[in-house]
Amino acid sequence: MSRSTSARCLGRLASRAIPPAPGPLLLSSRWSRHSRLPFSLLPSPQFPSSPSSSSLLTQQKRSLCSCPAHSPRVRRIMGSRLEDLPNFGLPLDSESSGDWPGNYPLKLCEKAFGIDLGITPSTFRSQMFEAVEMNLSQRPNGCEDHKEWLTTGRSNGGIPEFVALAIPPRTAFFVHQHPGIELVFLVRGSLHEIRLSDPAHIDRHCTALESPFDLKNPDYRFVRNEFKVGAGGRWLTNEVGSIHQTFTEDEECLMVAVWPGRYMTFRDDQLPDGVFEPINHRADKEERDVFLHQGVKPCQHHH
């Protein structure tokens, strides 16, 4: 990472910048010549903590039924690790990495959804690097995560990989913590989340498969966000240690993402009452396929 990029990133984190208002955003950094990116967080209130308010919140939420009849199958296309793609070089944003990740994300999108994004590999690369820098710089410890990813190609010591997901309407995933950064490109539809906002992290670098701590502290605060896809798609990022639950409502959600390959999950008895949606997704019921670059063997740790 260049000195100017590092200074800009640290400056954003120090100022605790508020995410921009919804709508297309004209970018001004070295990547901006390629595109306009409509990514921004929508305002979301804190969940009340009193018992009466929590009960009211439960009544106001759109119920996601957990019965089998309302548990549609998620389609997951497992992809290549970042370092297995051509022209992988460090730092990732330097000339030594060429056009990495090349056309692989575009081909993954076509394989998963039959959708041609209608952009060049260099445009996708530009959007990805700009979104990661901008979004992570606004998150606690995000600049630290951004620097590690650019300079090592890893996150929290792990090797990120590509994945594509087709999520049907009214699907709720398990509550989880990210053991590495997650970079999500929403292709179509909308995605909702319930996120732990205060504190932003509990044990940030924990990499256990199951959480050793719960989320029942009455001082914890959670926020609800909705992310709608714009005409040119939309980028989202999750920093190391961030905790949330994602779900869909009336729209499906199609996404191509870079993720850690696994999550740290929470059991139902570790969650506060009346905050999260009832889970109706099961990983063992997903429809799965694999799309790798040039016959690279898939990772064995997916769950």
Side-chain angles (χ1 to χ4, degrees), residues 76-152:
R76 182 186 300 267
I77 309 295
M78 296 179 288
S80 292
R81 301 188 306 178
L82 302 193
E83 62 182 31
D84 290 335
L85 298 179
N87 295 325
F88 178 84
L90 300 174
L92 293 178
D93 62 344
S94 67
E95 293 184 1
S96 64
S97 63
D99 65 350
W100 178 91
N103 66 356
Y104 176 79
L106 308 182
K107 294 297 184 182
L108 177 59
C109 186
E110 291 180 9
K111 165 71 175 179
F113 317 126
I115 293 177
D116 181 355
L117 293 179
I119 58 176
T120 65
S122 61
T123 297
F124 187 91
R125 170 184 165 88
S126 300
Q127 291 184 359
M128 178 174 67
F129 279 109
E130 179 68 28
V132 173
E133 178 183 344
M134 188 168 197
N135 290 357
L136 281 181
S137 69
Q138 298 179 31
R139 295 295 304 163
N141 302 106
C143 284
E144 175 186 334
D145 295 343
H146 182 230
K147 181 178 180 181
E148 180 191 9
W149 183 65
L150 288 183
T151 57
T152 70

Side-chain angles (χ1 to χ4, degrees), residues 174-205:
F174 43 76
V175 182
H176 60 274
Q177 174 168 308
H178 300 99
I181 62 170
E182 185 176 62
L183 323 174
V184 179
F185 181 70
L186 299 184
V187 177
R188 187 168 70 195
S190 60
L191 184 68
H192 300 252
E193 73 165 2
I194 298 169
R195 175 179 293 269
L196 176 66
S197 64
D198 186 15
H201 313 124
I202 298 177
D203 184 355
R204 191 170 117 80
H205 294 291

Side-chain angles (χ1 to χ4, degrees), residues 76 172-177 244-246 263-266 271 279-283 286 303:
R76 182 186 300 267
F173 289 87
F174 43 76
V175 182
H176 60 274
Q177 174 168 308
H244 71 169
Q245 178 192 38
T246 53
Y263 296 126
M264 183 180 81
T265 61
F266 292 83
L271 305 178
I279 301 165
N280 64 5
H281 165 261
R282 287 182 55 181
E286 291 181 344
H303 70 282

Side-chain angles (χ1 to χ4, degrees), residues 23-97:
L25 176 66
L26 183 61
L27 301 169
S28 59
S29 81
R30 61 190 183 279
W31 305 108
S32 63
R33 62 186 181 278
H34 293 290
S35 61
R36 294 169 68 91
L37 301 179
F39 56 81
S40 55
L41 285 175
L42 299 178
S44 51
Q46 289 187 344
F47 288 154
S49 57
S50 68
S52 59
S53 298
S54 179
S55 175
L56 178 61
L57 172 67
T58 303
Q59 295 173 14
Q60 290 175 339
K61 288 194 303 182
R62 296 180 61 84
S63 175
L64 295 178
C65 180
S66 59
C67 64
H70 295 104
S71 301
R73 296 166 71 90
V74 170
R75 186 162 187 259
R76 182 186 300 267
I77 309 295
M78 296 179 288
S80 292
R81 301 188 306 178
L82 302 193
E83 62 182 31
D84 290 335
L85 298 179
N87 295 325
F88 178 84
L90 300 174
L92 293 178
D93 62 344
S94 67
E95 293 184 1
S96 64
S97 63

